[in-house]
Amino acid sequence: MTTRKPPKGQKSNFFEKGGKPGFSKGKKERTGPQNSQKDAWLYGDHAVLAALSNPDRKIRRLLLTKSKLDKLELDMQERVQKIPTLELVSADDIRALLPDQAIHQGIALMASPLKELDIEDVVALVDNSPGNAVAILDQVTDPHNVGAILRSAAAFNIAAVILPDRHSPPVTGVLARSASGAVETVPMVRVGNLSRAMDRLAEMGFWRIGMDGTAAQTLEQAVKGTDRLAIVLGSEGKGLRRLTSEKCDLLGKLPMSDSIESLNVSNAAAIAFYEINRANQVD
């Protein structure tokens, strides 16, 4: 087993979970970076139907084509027909409200943003999750990548995705469509200062493991013997920033052939989340 220094608040390789603290109260709506009016629309089957199934969403406008309504499952048809703000419109009407090149599949939704969470909620999120991990995104700016990471997080029991307010994309239709519904199931925790948030995670007993292709050990070795952990992923081009890397307790890498230097961050995240979920099930 790798020798390592436990993070603050963790006295051994196996941190015993305490009680399940409740979520922080009195939260405002999650806004994050500001969206344009067109970007605020959710569109496409998975993103919209997942939002409609989320009781935390308040529906402001729901647009469907008649053909899309006819193709919905019967229970979903009955649900949407009860929504007061439902509008049956043409595909061109929907297209005019959305960003260029948006693939809407005949359905679009304007809904209230999700409630904002903060770093103090993370322990409760993990304790109420089948998994034991959260993900930290260090200035991952492409909404397609963030959406794909959320989708993988949902698939492999990552309890939350933590990202900085700045240098991270807002929840737009592009991000939500890339997430394929995972925006509704994987909490996004936006923080003002990523360095301080990582310090707080250490105090709460999280191992902070950074993904770095130059690490001395594999991710499988790094996560062995941990309980709560935060997997840290760097930006699309530069990877982890120096300060972020220094805040990590350990660095891990994916075993890769020499024929390729690196993976897209969303691909690397999917593999890392799978490995963490597998290790958690073995433990």
Side-chain angles (χ1 to χ4, degrees):
M1 176 180 283
T2 305
T3 302
R4 52 200 155 182
K5 180 181 178 181
K8 297 176 184 178
Q10 184 164 320
K11 298 180 180 179
S12 69
N13 283 348
F14 295 92
F15 179 84
E16 294 185 4
K17 294 180 181 178
K20 296 183 179 181
F23 296 112
S24 301
K25 304 297 183 182
K27 296 299 174 60
K28 60 185 178 181
E29 288 186 335
R30 178 191 299 153
T31 56
Q34 293 299 307
N35 298 0
S36 73
Q37 186 69 13
K38 288 191 172 186
D39 286 335
W41 284 90
L42 304 181
Y43 51 84
D45 288 353
H46 293 297
V48 174
L49 296 181
L52 290 174
S53 299
N54 185 352
D56 292 330
R57 289 283 199 180
K58 180 180 178 181
I59 310 305
R60 293 174 176 170
R61 291 182 71 186
L62 174 61
L63 309 183
L64 283 88
T65 63
K66 180 63 167 60
S67 62
K68 171 58 66 178
L69 179 63
D70 293 341
K71 292 176 183 176
L72 294 177
E73 298 287 339
L74 183 58
D75 60 338
M76 183 57 73
Q77 279 191 31
E78 293 174 350
R79 183 185 304 181
V80 301
Q81 287 174 327
K82 294 177 182 177
I83 295 173
T85 56
L86 170 65
E87 301 173 45
L88 293 181
V89 297
S90 71
D92 287 340
D93 290 333
I94 296 176
R95 189 176 300 111
L97 294 170
L98 303 181
D100 292 342
Q101 311 304 317
I103 302 174
H104 57 74
Q105 298 176 286
I107 187 168
L109 173 70
M110 180 71 74
S112 63
L114 294 169
K115 296 294 182 180
E116 183 178 286
L117 300 173
D118 63 34
I119 201 68
E120 298 303 321
D121 294 311
V122 171
V123 169
L125 292 170
V126 170
D127 285 352
N128 287 286
S129 167
N132 69 336
V134 297
I136 298 174
L137 306 187
D138 182 23
Q139 297 192 350
V140 178
T141 57
D142 187 327
H144 296 92
N145 280 337
V146 175
I149 289 168
L150 286 168
R151 186 175 185 177
S152 296
F156 298 116
N157 296 319
I158 300 300
V161 172
I162 301 166
L163 62 171
D165 273 327
R166 298 181 62 191
H167 306 294
S168 295
V171 178
T172 61
V174 171
L175 190 155
R177 195 170 195 279
S178 298
S180 196
V183 164
E184 311 302 324
T185 58
V186 179
M188 296 176 69
V189 180
R190 294 189 182 272
V191 296
N193 186 297
L194 193 60
S195 177
R196 286 200 292 268
M198 291 180 70
D199 285 342
R200 183 66 185 120
L201 287 172
E203 292 168 357
M204 293 189 289
F206 282 82
W207 287 79
R208 302 158 302 179
I209 300 177
M211 294 293 296
D212 190 324
T214 65
Q217 60 188 333
T218 65
L219 179 63
E220 180 182 11
Q221 293 168 328
V223 303
K224 193 174 295 183
T226 61
D227 190 2
R228 294 186 183 128
L229 64 94
I231 187 73
V232 190
L233 297 144
S235 65
E236 292 89 345
K238 298 178 180 179
L240 295 177
R241 291 177 294 164
R242 178 186 58 80
L243 180 58
T244 304
S245 181
E246 290 174 355
K247 290 288 182 180
C248 294
D249 301 295
L250 295 167
L251 298 177
K253 64 183 178 182
L254 300 177
M256 293 170 50
S257 74
D258 295 332
S259 62
I260 191 79
E261 181 180 351
S262 64
L263 292 174
N264 174 277
V265 63
S266 63
N267 293 332
I271 298 169
F273 296 167
Y274 167 80
E275 180 58 42
I276 291 166
N277 189 55
R278 187 188 66 82
N280 188 52
Q281 291 176 351
V282 169
D283 291 344

